[in-house]
Amino acid sequence: MAEVSSTQAAAIIGTSHVTIGRRVKDGSLKGRRQGLNRKIWVSLDDLRQFAAQYGYLFNEEIAKRYTDPN
């Protein structure tokens, strides 16, 4: 399952990383925190579902750029 950081997730759906953090905190977006700085990671599937549910445009090109190893 491909994951992106909160900053990358924000770029994919056209919002700010602060909004991503708030949505993870309130539970409307599934995410996990990792490390001492508690960086937020979100799966692309969960982000895609969140975008559809709340009316955000999910940019597949940006998502591919962040997750494509080439």
Side-chain angles (χ1 to χ4, degrees):
M1 170 180 1
E3 287 186 314
V4 292
S5 69
S6 60
T7 303
Q8 293 169 333
I12 292 168
I13 66 170
T15 190
S16 74
H17 74 278
V18 174
T19 298
I20 298 295
R22 287 180 182 149
R23 297 307 135 231
V24 169
K25 185 175 181 177
D26 74 15
S28 58
L29 174 60
K30 293 178 187 174
R32 65 181 180 86
R33 294 184 177 267
Q34 180 177 345
L36 295 175
N37 292 330
R38 309 290 291 153
K39 187 172 182 174
I40 296 172
W41 292 92
V42 179
S43 83
L44 282 180
D45 291 338
D46 290 337
L47 185 62
R48 196 175 279 112
Q49 181 179 4
F50 172 83
Q53 183 175 354
Y54 292 99
Y56 289 94
L57 179 63
F58 187 94
N59 190 319
E60 293 288 346
E61 284 298 315
I62 296 174
K64 184 177 180 182
R65 194 173 342 144
Y66 287 135
T67 57
D68 190 11
N70 297 326

